Structures are given as C-alpha cells and as structure tokens.
Amino acid sequence: MFRTALRNVLAHKARLLMTILAVMLGVAFVSGTLVFTDTLGNAFRNQSAKSYDDIAVAVTTHADQRDKETAAVGEDTLKKIRALDGVASVTGRVDGFAGVADPDGKLIGNGWSNSGSNFAPGKDGKDPAYTFTDGTGPTEPGTIALDRDTAEKGKYGVGDKVRVATNGPVKEYTLSGVFTTEDGAVNAGGSLVLFDTPVAQQLFLRPGEFKDVSVAAAPGASDQALLAAVKPLLPKDAEAKTGAARADEQASDIEAGLSDLNKLLLAFAGVALFVGVFLIANTFTMLVAQRTKELALMRAVGASRRQVKRSVLLEAAVVGLIASVVGFAVGLGLATGLRSAMSLLGGKIPAGPLVITPGTVIAAFAVGVLITVLAAWLPARRAAKIPPVAAMNSAHAVATVKSLVVRNTIGGVITLLGTAAIVGGAAKAGSDGQLLIAGGAFLALIGVIILIPLLSRPAIALVRPLLRRLFGVSGKLAAQNAVRNPRRTGATASALAIGLTLVTGISVLGVTLGQAVDKVTTDNIKADYMVSMASGDALDESALTALEKAKGVTAASPQQAVWLTIGGQGVSASGVTPGDVQQVLTVDTVAGSLDTLEKGQIAVAEKTAKSHGWKPGDSVPVTYGDKKKETLKVGALYKDNEFLSPVLIPRATVAPHEDKGDIREVWVKTDGGASAANEQALVDALGDNPGMSIMDRQDIRDMFGGGVNLAMNIMYGLLGMALIIAVLGVVNTLAMSVFERQQEIGMLRAIGLDRRRVKRMIRLEAVVISLFGALVGIGLGLFLGWAIGQTVAESIPQYVLVIPWSRIAVFLLLAGAVGVLAALWPARSAAKLNMLTAIKTE
C-alpha cells in the first residue's frame, strides 16, 4: 500500500501541483514569520545585552521638566555613588525630543523616534556608549554631535551649522562630531542628537540633575553588592536594577512588541491554510472519483477498507511533506526579504544570522503535513467505502440522497446557530457582543460552506438564460457544467467566499467608521489648522504666543491639559482661551453663556454636569495640581463633544497653579481659511521649526482615520492571499474537469463545437463559479459588517451604516478576473484535445 501511494503521487504530479502550491504558501508564511520574528528578537536581545555589557547597575527615574514632585538624581548623589567600593565609573543621562532639520528645513525622522541626550565623557574623554567616526563629542554649549545616519541624510559634516528643534524655539548649533550607536531610536529610523551635558540638562530636565544613571563595576566587584549599596542613596521614586536584569527586561519588552507583528503575519498564514483546506479536499475528492475502479479492484483482490483509507492518507502525507520542504525553503527567503524590506523602509535592524529553531522546523512541517492529511481525511473515508462491485461499473460513485440530506441538514443547523449568535452579538454592545459575533461568524461561515453545493444549483440556474442568450451553446454548457458536480463547485467557490467575507465585512465596517469619524471631525472642528509637536510632546508657551501674533490669525486656542479634583473625584479639564475657543471648536451651549469664561467662570459638559447635579450659577470647590484650592462658578453647560474635555477653564485661571502648561495642540483660525500663504505665515511665526506639525482639516481627518485605513489595507492583503489560492483551486478544478470530460469534449468537437467556443465554455464555467463564490462571500460579509457595527454604534457619534457599493463592484470584477485567469490553461488544454483520441478515452 505504501508503494501504491507513492506510485499515485508520481502518477498525478501535475494534478497535485496546485495542492502542493497551496500548502506551500501556508507553510512559507508560518515558517517565514517564525524565523523572521525569532531573528529580530535574537538580534535586538543581543543588542540590548551588548548595551548593558559594562553596566553593573542601571538606575531609572521618571523625572520630568513639568513634574517637580518626582525627584531626579543630582550631582551630589552621583558623587556618593562614585565613592562606593567597587565602583569604576558613574554616568548620568538626560534625554528628550530633539529633531534635526534637513537643508530644506524638513524634519529628519518621524518625530516620535527623534531624541536628544547628553555626551558624558569619562576620564579618557570618550563616552563608552558612542563610537565617533568623525570629529569629537560636544563639550561646549553651541556644539552638538549627530548619529551617522542622520548626518548622511542631512548631508552634514563636521563644522557645519545644524538647526535643531526641541520643545522650545529652534536653535542653530555647530556639528562637532559624527558617531555610530546601537540606540533603539536610531534603529527605528529616528535620529539622536548629543548635547553638552549642562545644555542637555537645561533642555530636557533641570540644571545639575539626571534622569538615568549607569554604574560600572571595578574588576572583581559584585553587581548585586553594588546594587544593594546604590539603592539607599537614590530618591524614593527611582528604580535600580542590575545591568543583566535590565537587559532581560528590555528583551521581554522586545518580544512583547514583536508579538503583534507575529500574530499579524500568522493571520496571513492562517487564511492561506484555511482556504487551502478546501482546495486539498477538492483535489483528493476528484482523484478518488477518478480512481474508483482502481480502488474497487484493490478491494476485490483483498485490500481492506483500512488499507485503502491509509493509502489515500499516506498519499496526502507525502504531498504535505513535499509542500512543507518547499514551503520551509520559501519561508526562509520570505524572512530574509522581510528583513531587507524593513531596512529599506528606514528601520535599522542589528546584524545577526537567521535564527532557525527546532520549534520553527517542527511547527512548519507539522502544519504542512497535518493540514494536508486532515483535509484528505473525508476523501479517504469515501474511498474506503467504495464496494468491490464498483470495479465492474464504469460510472464514478455518486453521492447518495441520504448523504446529501445529512450534509444539508448539518449545514442548515450550523448556519442557523451562527446566524443566531451574530444577531445576538449585534444586540449587545462592546467586547461581549463582538466575541459572540466572532463565534457566530465562524459557525455561519462553516455552515454556508457546507450548504454551498445546495445553493449553487438555484443560484446558477438564475443566470443560465442570460448565459445562453449572450454566449449561445458555450454559455448553456458552461452553466450546466458548473452545477454538474455541486460539491466540487462548492469547494472551489469556498476559497473566494472566505476571502470576500473577511474583506467585505471589514470594508463595510471601515467605510462606515471612516465616515463617522470624518463627520465628527467636520462637525466639531471650525479651525483651519491644528499645531502640535511632531513627537507628541507638549508645546512650549512661546509657540502659543507666536501663533496668536501670526499674520492672518483671527483666533487661536490651545487645549491645555489640566487635572482638577472636585468633590474628591478627579476631573479632566482643558485650559482654553475665552472668546477664541468658540471660533475654533464647536461648543453648543445648552444653558448659560460661554462669555462667562472671560469672567473666570467654567463651562461644563452636559453629562458631567448632570452626574454632579450642577447648573449655571452654582459654585464648585476645586483643587488644582499644586494642591491649592479655589471656588469656581459654573457659567455654562455645553453638549458633549469628542474634541472637548468635560470642563473648560480659562488659561488665566490655571496659570498661577502651573509653571508650564501642558499644551498638546493649538487650534488656529485664519483669515480666508486654509491656504498656502496662511500656512507659510504659521511656519514663519514658529521660526520654521521642523519639530512642529501644522495640519489642515484634511490632514486632521486623515490622522483620525489612519487606524481604520491601516486595518483595511491589512485585510486587503489577506484578500490577495485568498485570491492566489482561489486561482489555484479554480485551475485545479477545471483541469481535472477537463481530464474527466475528455470524451465529452471530443464528442462536442466532433459535432461542430470549434476550439474558440470550447475555450469560451471553460472560461465561462470558471467565471460562473468564481462569481458565485464572490456573491456568497459578499452577502455574508455585509451581514457581519452590519453586526459588528451595531456593537460600536452607541460609542461612536454620527454612526450610520454605509455600504461601499463601488468597492463591492470592484470585488466582483476581481472575482470575474480570477475566473478568467484561472481558466487560461484548462481552456487551452481542452481546445487542443484531439477529438478522435478524446472520443476513444474511457
């Protein structure tokens, strides 16, 4: 039986090729993903360990310029640590945002990974964290050093003037040196600017204070002993760990960060394998049907049911093994390609070899072989049931009425259960409803796939008159062939149905959410521009002052983050500019007047006022962040707004209680609206600061809709994977169908059906099957999109279900194109058949 299985694999190489390709794609994504993430994790772990090689104790504080309560490490503390036995050296660090402008004034990097720190030389004049390839470190106030990548991007050399943006005004510095570093921000495509230590302290913290400290041990000193000695000298909020422990902590953080990427790439593999299951099962079903007489003869000469079943499963295992070997090799190439792609996109990955663990190899081969064997189990079971008497019958075994009734009954029950779960989930809001929908979607998808053969007959019967009218005999034969074997048609159409269910559902949800977010943005923002730091940090007060005085600005109001304590509860508030806030944001008053803000009163959102029982004229005792108390009067109530905090308070009222306001953005209204001239006026007012982001309304809408668009693009990638496998499935089905119908095609050619119409018949059959699968998937996807939308509708203002008809039309066109492409080879093979040879074929 083993020899028989091998012989069958070799005898049907071409027919099993599509199955091998489908399994190969899934295995390639599994192995490539695991190798890629293992390689990245290993490289970053090694980098992390290397950066802590010479550090015995690493001290971290959470000190910040705006937070005076959290203590930093002062010079006196550093002196005490240096005096400890076993300490070789102590290095203090401060860091924060620092963006470098290129010669055109644009920011080099992406904002969030642009950082600045201090150059901390030892007794030898070198900083062990950086290796200088040109020049020296900055030791004077007007000098800086840049990482090599940033210097190359900006075309800067030692002695050049470089404009650097921090949270204050842009300043010009002289470049003293260029260095290489293993800093994570630089590896992420950002930049690193080194300042003289006093300058860095002034920019990022406070004079004479450090945020982090690294302690190097003298030869023979114990890291644990040093840790125990250092801890008592530190401020109460500081965290101290050994260098090894900090390296392990960073490694864990890296693994956690890579887990999302790992899941995303494995989702691609999961879709590929799930769709591939139907292709595999379809292939083996057809092979078993074609070998009915052979399998029956084996039974007649003494083979047991178990042996027949085992031979088919063994054949599947061999196919799975071949596909796994090829897929694993392709996966290694995929991992290498992903690594190169990240480098091209600006991410600098530390050097290191590809990491291939035994677990990855086992997972890849287990997935490939097990998926193939499981998919072939039902065809193998059917093969074992073929009676020996079938050897004397030339007809292929057909499904009994009983088996079809059982199949349709099971499919109907599963579909009803899935539909009930989806409807029940739609009635529930939040994550509970979404989990119920996810379970129901899985059941509904499985149920519909089981029912697809039953659905195919009436669905295709509807288009049969149209096909006959448009394409004549070719169209009529194509429709008849598409429903000749409903199970085969259903299994072939399932691949497209799965992919389009996912993509249609996400498209409906994405377009609906996108329009809701867009409407919220449009309805609530009156400003022409939003100004913020590219890093996401707080703006300096000088930026607001500059914007207020800028040419063409008619109104400018920040949203200064303020935390108030009212009645023992914390309440989020926004420090705003009275009179201007109404011009830049939509503030719909329901009671009182917003003019009272100019009198030092506050405005409260309707829901917050209702929960506290406030109304205009009430006095409210508040406690500020500096623990000082004051009684404020409620002057107005306004409708809740996504862009406004629950409480609006004049900035002048908050100013005495905060040294530096936490201003995350400033909304600006200009004379004549958004224009190139007005935007340039803002750029000029801000000192042509590359670290500041100026966004118009369209930019703001794009920013808030970015997450939705990213999710949709990912799902379109999944559609691409499903389409590739769907093409393989349709090619496989048509090729085997042509093989089975050689005699019939020969007869059709003999009675006058020319080659052109034979090709058309095969192509139309493929298009009909593809469009049928697409319609099933689109219908289920629309249902799921509606259901998921219902779970979030209450939490999203302006939510209205939107069906993206134009995209659905594109999906249908793609499905039709899949059918045409998949039919190219089978149609050509059918047209080239020699009619006399085909008629003699049994």
Side-chain angles (χ1 to χ4, degrees):
M1 298 306 292
F2 179 71
R3 287 198 300 271
T4 301
L6 289 179
R7 178 181 61 77
N8 285 327
V9 171
L10 295 174
H12 303 115
K13 293 187 292 290
R15 278 175 268 172
L16 290 169
L17 178 62
M18 303 302 173
T19 297
I20 290 173
L21 286 173
V23 179
M24 181 206 75
L25 283 172
V27 172
F29 266 93
V30 171
S31 57
T33 295
L34 296 176
V35 169
F36 176 64
T37 51
D38 286 345
T39 298
L40 251 64
N42 182 69
F44 283 118
R45 278 193 297 272
N46 290 341
Q47 180 192 62
S48 176
K50 183 180 177 182
S51 63
Y52 284 99
D53 268 350
D54 300 322
I55 297 176
V57 178
V59 179
T60 302
T61 71
H62 301 286
D64 185 85
Q65 261 186 334
R66 301 174 188 279
D67 180 11
K68 290 187 175 181
E69 292 187 5
T70 302
V73 178
E75 287 283 1
D76 292 341
T77 303
L78 256 63
K79 290 178 182 178
K80 292 177 183 177
I81 294 173
R82 287 192 186 99
L84 294 173
D85 291 337
V87 172
S89 64
V90 180
T91 304
R93 301 283 183 194
V94 288
D95 59 65
F97 168 74
V100 179
D102 65 15
D104 296 326
K106 303 297 182 183
L107 182 68
I108 297 176
N110 47 32
W112 60 267
S113 60
N114 295 114
S115 61
S117 188
N118 61 303
F119 176 66
K123 294 178 181 178
D124 58 357
K126 296 180 180 180
D127 190 326
Y130 311 105
T131 303
F132 279 80
T133 58
D134 196 10
T136 60
T139 54
E140 296 178 3
T143 60
I144 59 165
L146 291 177
D147 68 273
R148 186 169 59 187
D149 290 346
T150 302
E152 289 176 354
K153 290 174 184 175
K155 299 178 181 178
Y156 292 123
V158 172
D160 288 347
K161 297 294 183 181
V162 182
R163 296 176 69 248
V164 180
T166 56
N167 287 343
V170 180
K171 293 183 180 179
E172 194 171 71
Y173 298 85
T174 301
L175 184 62
S176 67
V178 177
F179 59 89
T180 59
T181 177
E182 295 296 329
D183 186 272
V186 176
N187 287 333
S191 62
L192 178 60
V193 183
L194 295 182
F195 299 88
D196 180 38
T197 295
V199 173
Q201 289 174 326
Q202 184 68 41
L203 287 172
F204 303 131
L205 193 57
R206 291 176 288 272
E209 294 186 350
F210 296 95
K211 184 177 179 181
D212 303 319
V213 176
S214 301
V215 181
S222 164
D223 291 357
Q224 290 294 340
L226 279 180
L227 178 63
V230 167
K231 274 187 174 181
L233 304 177
L234 300 175
K236 64 176 182 178
D237 295 322
E239 295 178 5
K241 293 184 180 181
T242 63
R246 186 70 73 190
D248 291 342
E249 188 179 76
Q250 279 197 3
S252 298
D253 292 342
I254 289 166
E255 288 178 4
L258 289 173
S259 65
D260 290 339
L261 177 63
N262 200 30
K263 291 173 184 175
L264 174 63
L265 293 175
L266 286 176
F268 280 78
V271 170
L273 290 168
F274 186 51
V275 175
V277 164
F278 298 96
L279 191 154
I280 298 164
N282 206 15
T283 301
F284 278 94
T285 297
M286 288 186 283
L287 286 175
V288 167
Q290 290 173 6
R291 289 157 46 197
T292 299
K293 290 182 67 173
E294 175 191 330
L295 294 171
L297 281 170
M298 290 173 64
R299 290 291 314 281
V301 297
S304 66
R305 285 187 173 186
R306 180 178 296 179
Q307 286 178 307
V308 171
K309 182 178 178 181
R310 194 181 297 158
S311 71
V312 176
L313 291 178
L314 187 58
E315 187 177 337
V318 172
V319 170
L321 185 62
I322 294 170
S324 297
V325 171
V326 178
F328 188 77
V330 173
L332 296 181
L334 180 63
T336 305
L338 286 171
R339 185 171 177 173
S340 300
M342 284 191 69
S343 299
L344 290 173
L345 292 173
K348 185 179 176 184
I349 300 172
L354 283 180
V355 177
I356 305 171
T357 64
T360 298
V361 177
I362 292 169
F365 280 82
V367 163
V369 175
L370 286 177
I371 288 292
T372 310
V373 171
L374 286 173
W377 182 79
L378 278 176
R381 188 167 174 269
R382 293 193 197 105
K385 289 185 175 182
I386 295 174
V389 73
M392 294 176 281
N393 187 347
S394 61
H396 295 158
V398 295
T400 64
V401 174
K402 179 182 177 182
S403 69
L404 291 175
V405 170
V406 170
R407 176 192 178 110
N408 293 335
T409 301
I410 293 172
V413 170
I414 294 175
T415 304
L416 285 174
L417 287 174
T419 303
I422 292 171
V423 172
K428 280 189 173 185
S431 58
D432 290 341
Q434 290 162 11
L435 286 173
L436 195 57
I437 290 173
F442 179 76
L443 289 176
L445 193 58
I446 296 298
V448 168
I449 287 169
I450 294 173
L451 289 175
I452 274 184
L454 177 66
L455 299 173
S456 64
R457 286 187 180 277
I460 295 174
L462 289 174
V463 298
R464 187 181 300 169
L466 180 63
L467 290 172
R468 183 175 181 178
R469 189 177 304 115
L470 293 176
F471 303 102
V473 174
S474 296
K476 179 182 178 182
L477 291 173
Q480 290 175 342
N481 290 333
V483 293
R484 178 181 292 185
N485 190 329
R487 283 185 173 178
R488 182 185 303 171
T489 298
T492 305
S494 295
L496 268 174
I498 294 166
L500 283 169
T501 296
L502 291 172
V503 176
T504 303
I506 289 296
S507 293
V508 170
L509 192 60
V511 171
T512 299
L513 291 178
Q515 289 202 12
V517 169
D518 191 60
K519 190 162 178 24
V520 167
T521 305
T522 304
D523 289 352
N524 292 314
I525 296 177
K526 295 180 181 178
D528 298 311
Y529 297 99
M530 183 182 82
V531 179
S532 61
M533 291 297 295
S535 61
D537 293 332
L539 286 161
D540 190 79
E541 291 274 353
S542 60
L544 174 60
T545 303
L547 288 170
E548 290 172 338
K549 296 178 181 178
K551 180 181 178 182
V553 171
T554 57
S557 177
Q559 284 234 65
Q560 178 178 330
V562 179
W563 190 251
L564 304 175
T565 303
I566 304 175
Q569 295 182 354
V571 177
S572 173
S574 290
V576 297
T577 303
D580 285 9
V581 66
Q582 303 98 304
Q583 298 182 54
V584 296
L585 295 171
T586 301
V587 189
D588 291 330
T589 308
V590 294
S593 172
L594 288 174
D595 293 339
T596 56
L597 287 171
E598 297 184 12
K599 300 175 183 178
Q601 298 180 15
I602 61 174
V604 183
E606 193 173 15
K607 289 181 181 177
T608 302
K610 186 177 180 180
S611 65
H612 288 85
W614 296 336
K615 60 184 183 299
D618 288 351
S619 296
V620 178
V622 302
T623 303
Y624 296 101
D626 61 359
K627 307 303 181 184
K628 292 182 179 179
K629 299 180 180 181
E630 187 177 1
T631 299
L632 299 176
K633 183 175 287 188
V634 177
L637 305 183
Y638 58 89
K639 288 183 180 179
D640 289 77
N641 185 317
E642 294 294 313
F643 290 86
L644 293 171
S645 298
V647 175
L648 301 183
I649 184 170
R651 290 189 66 248
T653 304
V654 181
H657 307 284
E658 295 187 358
D659 289 338
K660 287 190 175 184
D662 188 3
I663 302 172
R664 297 292 164 171
E665 69 267 343
V666 178
W667 301 95
V668 180
K669 186 79 173 173
T670 55
D671 186 15
S675 66
N678 281 335
E679 184 171 342
Q680 187 59 48
L682 297 183
V683 171
D684 294 340
L686 294 169
D688 195 13
N689 191 327
M692 291 189 182
S693 168
I694 301 174
M695 291 190 284
D696 60 21
R697 288 192 191 184
Q698 186 58 52
D699 294 330
I700 296 167
R701 290 155 71 181
D702 292 342
M703 177 184 69
F704 284 107
V708 174
N709 294 331
L710 176 62
M712 290 177 67
N713 290 334
I714 290 171
M715 293 310 298
Y716 290 147
L718 292 177
L719 171 63
M721 179 62 62
L723 281 176
I724 291 172
I725 298 178
V727 169
L728 297 177
V730 177
V731 170
N732 211 19
T733 298
L734 292 176
M736 291 196 173
S737 179
V738 167
F739 178 81
E740 289 177 358
R741 289 152 43 197
Q742 287 187 65
Q743 189 178 59
E744 175 190 318
I745 292 171
M747 289 294 294
L748 290 171
R749 293 274 288 112
I751 62 175
L753 196 68
D754 59 24
R755 289 184 175 182
R756 182 173 58 85
R757 283 188 285 183
V758 168
K759 284 183 180 180
R760 183 185 296 167
M761 176 185 72
I762 302 298
R763 283 197 296 265
L764 287 173
E765 182 180 346
V767 170
V768 166
I769 293 173
S770 298
L771 288 177
F772 168 62
L775 287 171
V776 171
I778 288 170
L780 190 53
L782 289 172
F783 181 44
L784 289 176
W786 164 81
I788 297 172
Q790 291 300 112
T791 65
V792 298
E794 290 184 5
S795 60
I796 299 177
Q798 314 292 343
Y799 181 91
V800 178
L801 182 68
V802 179
I803 298 178
W805 294 111
S806 59
R807 299 192 188 197
I808 290 173
V810 171
F811 297 157
L812 287 172
L813 288 174
L814 283 174
V818 164
V820 173
L821 291 172
L824 289 177
W825 174 51
R828 188 167 177 270
S829 300
K832 290 176 67 177
L833 283 175
N834 183 291
M835 66 180 74
L836 295 178
T837 304
I839 290 170
K840 291 189 295 183
T841 302
E842 185 176 334

